[in-house]
Amino acid sequence: MTSLDQDQRARMADKIAEIDRICAQARIMPVITIAREADILPLADALAAGGLRVLEVTLRSEHGLEAIRRLRAERPELCVGAGTVLDQDMLAAATAAGAQFIVTPGSTRELLLAALDNPLPMLPGVSSASDLMIGYALGYRRFKLFPAEVCGGVAALKALSGPFGGVRFCPTGGITPDNLQRYMAQPNVMCVGGTWMFQREWVANSDWARIQQCSAEALKLLA
Ligand code: 3PG
């Protein structure tokens, strides 16, 4: 096991506390990929009006970094993370853009090591016990389970709770209103991520009212 130095250990404890705070606030985290720059503010506003104020903005489109910059500058009341961070360059770019947390779809030791010395908390993606052990050895205790439904869903979360007692997850990938409550009922789930509340055609048609309504309905399922 790679042992963390004292500074890294203290920083990791702070980051875990910060991730817990963000995920408790979120409960449901929209995973947004911006196709048109003009959608950045109205989409975020519709989600926020429906009660979803913690957003993962992916770096999958050319507008990802700009979306993070705009939302941080113009919607300071929201909490904005960067998603689909695949390597150290993307980690640096997301940090410079003002992201408040980092999410990755999977885990490489290089990226996890780099993030130890980055000020932002990170949720590394995992889909197996082996992935988890890469992060666990580096002090990580909070992860994105991705793609959640494909890699075993609720049954996987139950199984992982045995060997990884202190670990908690944000499952993402295949979450819908039909399975949302089962995920959130797991003691090792802190929040879920997904895209169902802003379907592609609703965004394309600027149907912001529908997105607000779908967001609010999802939160109501957790009341
Ligand atoms: C992602 O990170 O790619 C999204 O979480 C996908 O999730 P979805 O199944 O809700 O689209």
Side-chain angles (χ1 to χ4, degrees):
M1 145 145 189
T2 310
S3 53
L4 307 187
D5 64 36
Q6 213 169 355
D7 279 358
Q8 286 174 324
R9 239 197 311 272
R11 265 205 305 274
M12 183 58 90
D14 288 347
K15 288 176 179 180
I16 290 172
E18 178 65 2
I19 286 284
D20 284 348
R21 193 190 63 75
I22 291 169
C23 292
Q25 184 194 346
R27 300 205 292 155
I28 298 172
M29 195 186 302
V31 181
I32 302 172
T33 300
I34 296 291
R36 297 180 301 200
E37 208 177 327
D39 294 334
I40 296 171
L41 294 180
L43 175 56
D45 288 343
L47 293 164
L52 304 181
R53 300 188 184 89
V54 179
L55 312 177
E56 177 189 331
V57 178
T58 76
L59 304 189
R60 283 174 221 184
S61 80
E62 56 181 319
H63 306 301
L65 289 171
E66 177 59 16
I68 293 168
R69 279 192 287 268
R70 291 276 301 277
L71 290 171
R72 294 290 286 127
E74 298 179 43
R75 297 295 184 270
E77 68 278 15
L78 302 181
C79 180
V80 180
T84 319
V85 172
L86 303 179
D87 57 33
Q88 294 185 51
D89 290 346
M90 292 169 89
L91 174 64
T95 307
Q100 289 160 288
F101 62 97
I102 301 290
V103 186
T104 75
S107 293
T108 67
R109 198 175 141 79
E110 291 73 18
L111 182 54
L112 269 57
L113 275 170
L116 288 181
D117 294 320
N118 183 285
L120 299 178
M122 186 166 93
L123 266 184
V126 294
S127 61
S128 68
S130 296
D131 290 347
L132 265 164
M133 287 176 69
I134 296 175
Y136 198 93
L138 295 173
Y140 290 86
R141 296 293 183 270
R142 303 291 182 264
F143 297 90
K144 161 169 165 154
L145 182 70
F146 178 80
E149 278 290 281
V150 175
C151 64
V154 168
L157 287 160
K158 285 184 174 155
L160 291 169
S161 72
F164 300 101
V167 165
R168 299 179 75 209
F169 298 92
C170 170
T172 305
I175 314 297
T176 68
D178 291 336
N179 58 23
L180 172 64
Q181 288 158 309
R182 272 190 294 127
Y183 274 97
M184 286 298 281
Q186 303 311 308
N188 58 352
V189 169
M190 47 188 179
C191 68
V192 300
T195 61
W196 78 89
M197 73 296 286
F198 59 97
Q199 290 176 25
R200 197 186 293 261
E201 63 271 25
W202 303 350
V203 178
N205 297 332
S206 302
D207 193 351
W208 312 122
R210 186 139 186 209
I211 293 168
Q212 175 181 340
Q213 186 190 343
C214 190
S215 303
E217 281 170 3
L219 275 178
K220 237 185 262 165
L221 290 173
L222 303 181

